[in-house]
Amino acid sequence: MGLLQERFKSYRVPQKYMEAGVYPYFRAITGKQGTEVEMGGHKVLMFGSNAYTGLTGDQRIIDAAKAALDKYGSGCAGSRFLNGTLDIHVQLEKELAEFEHKDDALCFSTGFFVNSGVLAVICGREDYIICDERDHASIVDGRRLSFAKQLKYKHNDMEDLERQLQKCEPNAVKLIVVDGVFSMEGDLANLPEIVRLKHKYNASIFVDEAHGIGVFGKEGRGVCDHFGLTDEVDVIMGTFSKSLASIGGFVAADFDTINYLRHTVRTYIFSASNTPAATAAAREALHIMRQEPERIEKLWKVTNYALKRFREEGFEIGDTESPIIPLYVRDVEKTFLITALAFNAGVFINPVIPPACAPQDTLVRFALMATHTEEQVERGVQILKKIFVEQNIIK
């Protein structure tokens, strides 16, 4: 056995939880994503999905993906930079730019590649990238790849953000990078105050709208539109794997910024382009989302019901303002146990433990889709209440 294998031989943390019967990962779903799914012959209510618009099983999207598969084949066999650009890639980029009220957009094969690639090149050695401490892992990886100076501020603490801005050279590029909706806790970035500080310190703003698109703003444009501040945000990114029922991502900005990114981002130039089926699915989902505003209205109706019920039953749900509802457990072992007990009782939820949160902030994440009903939410609340009471987390 080599040194590499010796290093990992002792890594048995997953096996510990497997032996305890509470390992919560890689559970196989045997059908379409929906409000109820079957997993190994066991039906559960799905409250662990990011499909906020509930479009993942929509037949119109499936048909669009099938048509693209028939027309273009299964893949592009190359990067967008060379032979991998299809006309539907270009069409989707134009539609996304118009959707986000920006000049132009670029599509990537994953949302992770947007952040990790764009942030690696958008700032230079004498520039600054300033991040919220709870920004997504893809943002963390992107800034680590950058040669820019790295600064971090306490979560949604605008006084600390200002202190970080004061450390920067006045004439340097200063890019504030923030999630519009924080994916674990469900709270929103304080974008109005960030914009105020942008002007005070001549900074720029990059907003990750992965969990904002399809949820906030007119036609589901996101948090930037929700606050009426799209024109103040320099760069907007989004993913297709949540509200847009596919896989991939995009970045939207002014012509000159996109022109630079198109020719410098390594995760764009050196990665195969998104498949025809995934591209067509995202495009059709975008059309449906814009044409059916009632879908977002339904999402908010069921979200508000869930928020009300969890508060009434005494759950600690923090500062969430979105369909992402954190149910705080504040104990790693109990977080795994509750996830397993909920699954056995017919509710799928996601455990959130370090490094996705601080050790004292462990939680289970309950997320809503437009297709959930109040009756399904009520079943979920009652099942989880029983478990949380039995585990002495709430009374």
Side-chain angles (χ1 to χ4, degrees):
M1 184 177 288
L3 293 175
L4 185 67
Q5 290 75 23
E6 284 289 347
R7 174 180 295 174
F8 301 131
K9 188 177 179 181
S10 62
Y11 177 67
R12 289 295 178 267
V13 175
Q15 283 68 32
K16 167 189 169 183
Y17 293 107
M18 288 176 190
E19 290 166 7
V22 297
Y23 183 73
Y25 305 120
F26 304 106
R27 293 172 285 182
I29 297 171
T30 55
K32 294 176 185 175
Q33 286 267 359
T35 59
E36 293 191 49
V37 299
E38 188 167 313
M39 307 175 78
H42 181 51
K43 274 197 171 181
V44 291
L45 288 167
M46 173 51 72
F47 291 111
S49 174
N50 294 318
Y52 304 114
T53 53
L55 286 169
T56 49
D58 191 285
Q59 192 60 46
R60 294 167 291 181
I61 295 173
I62 294 169
D63 290 342
K66 287 179 177 177
L69 194 62
D70 288 338
K71 181 176 180 178
Y72 299 100
S74 59
C76 299
S79 74
R80 289 288 307 278
F81 203 61
L82 298 173
N83 67 297
T85 291
L86 303 175
D87 55 358
I88 55 172
H89 290 132
V90 177
Q91 291 161 9
L92 179 56
E93 286 171 341
K94 288 179 179 177
E95 291 180 25
L96 288 166
E98 184 273 327
F99 177 66
E100 290 294 354
H101 293 166
K102 295 298 180 186
D103 294 341
D104 205 353
L106 288 182
C107 287
F108 290 66
S109 50
T110 72
F112 200 107
F113 275 2
V114 179
N115 285 340
S116 59
V118 170
L119 293 175
V121 303
I122 199 169
C123 292
R125 291 181 184 275
E126 302 305 316
D127 303 330
Y128 298 84
I129 293 178
I130 310 162
C131 294
D132 187 292
E133 66 180 358
R134 293 188 189 171
D135 278 347
H136 190 263
S138 56
I139 293 173
V140 174
D141 283 5
R143 69 174 177 79
R144 284 174 176 169
L145 289 169
S146 172
F147 291 115
K149 300 176 179 70
Q150 313 283 320
L151 296 171
K152 187 166 61 175
Y153 63 94
K154 295 174 185 176
H155 178 55
N156 257 346
D157 186 331
M158 296 297 99
E159 290 183 2
D160 194 34
L161 172 56
E162 183 159 19
R163 283 192 289 270
Q164 303 311 313
L165 286 165
Q166 289 169 347
K167 295 177 183 178
C168 302
E169 291 294 329
N171 295 325
V173 170
K174 298 169 283 292
L175 184 66
I176 303 166
V177 184
V178 67
D179 288 0
V181 181
F182 290 91
S183 59
M184 297 297 109
E185 298 85 0
D187 54 336
L188 308 188
N190 188 349
L191 202 53
E193 184 63 12
I194 293 172
V195 167
R196 185 187 72 81
L197 292 172
K198 163 189 169 170
H199 290 293
K200 184 174 180 180
Y201 292 95
N202 191 26
S204 301
I205 302 174
F206 179 115
V207 174
D208 179 329
E209 287 279 22
H211 296 268
I213 290 172
V215 180
F216 291 91
K218 186 178 179 182
E219 297 182 341
R221 285 188 174 89
V223 172
C224 300
D225 185 84
H226 168 72
F227 285 115
L229 294 171
T230 298
D231 290 344
E232 297 283 1
V233 175
D234 301 273
V235 183
I236 294 174
M237 77 77 62
T239 65
F240 304 153
S241 57
K242 298 170 178 64
S243 289
L244 297 183
S246 185
I247 184 72
F250 73 93
V251 61
D254 62 278
F255 282 121
D256 292 333
T257 297
I258 294 298
N259 177 56
Y260 176 77
L261 296 176
R262 183 178 281 117
H263 296 90
T264 58
V265 176
R266 294 167 70 87
T267 56
Y268 179 79
I269 295 172
F270 296 102
S271 181
S273 57
N274 213 354
T275 66
T279 304
R283 188 167 176 238
E284 182 64 19
L286 179 65
H287 297 167
I288 294 170
M289 188 176 74
R290 300 187 72 176
Q291 293 162 4
E292 298 180 0
E294 65 273 12
R295 192 170 287 274
I296 298 173
E297 292 169 10
K298 288 178 182 176
L299 172 63
W300 276 103
K301 183 180 178 184
V302 75
T303 294
N304 289 329
Y305 178 80
L307 290 168
K308 173 175 173 288
R309 290 295 295 121
F310 278 120
R311 289 190 176 109
E312 287 173 347
E313 296 296 349
F315 287 83
E316 182 188 356
I317 64 172
D319 299 321
T320 181
E321 300 178 64
S322 73
I324 300 166
I325 305 177
L327 307 176
Y328 283 93
V329 179
R330 303 194 183 282
D331 180 286
V332 172
E333 305 298 323
K334 280 191 176 181
T335 299
F336 281 134
L337 177 60
I338 285 166
T339 304
L341 291 171
F343 182 78
N344 293 338
V347 172
F348 186 107
I349 47 177
N350 292 314
V352 179
I353 63 166
C357 67
Q360 69 274 15
D361 293 333
T362 67
L363 58 95
V364 291
R365 182 181 181 274
F366 187 100
L368 282 308
M369 294 181 269
T371 43
H372 277 122
T373 65
E374 290 185 2
E375 290 75 18
Q376 288 174 323
V377 170
E378 188 61 36
R379 280 164 56 197
V381 170
Q382 292 302 324
I383 288 169
L384 290 170
K385 180 187 177 183
K386 183 175 184 293
I387 294 168
F388 270 61
V389 169
E390 288 173 350
Q391 296 303 316
N392 297 312
I393 297 167
I394 62 173
K395 296 180 180 179

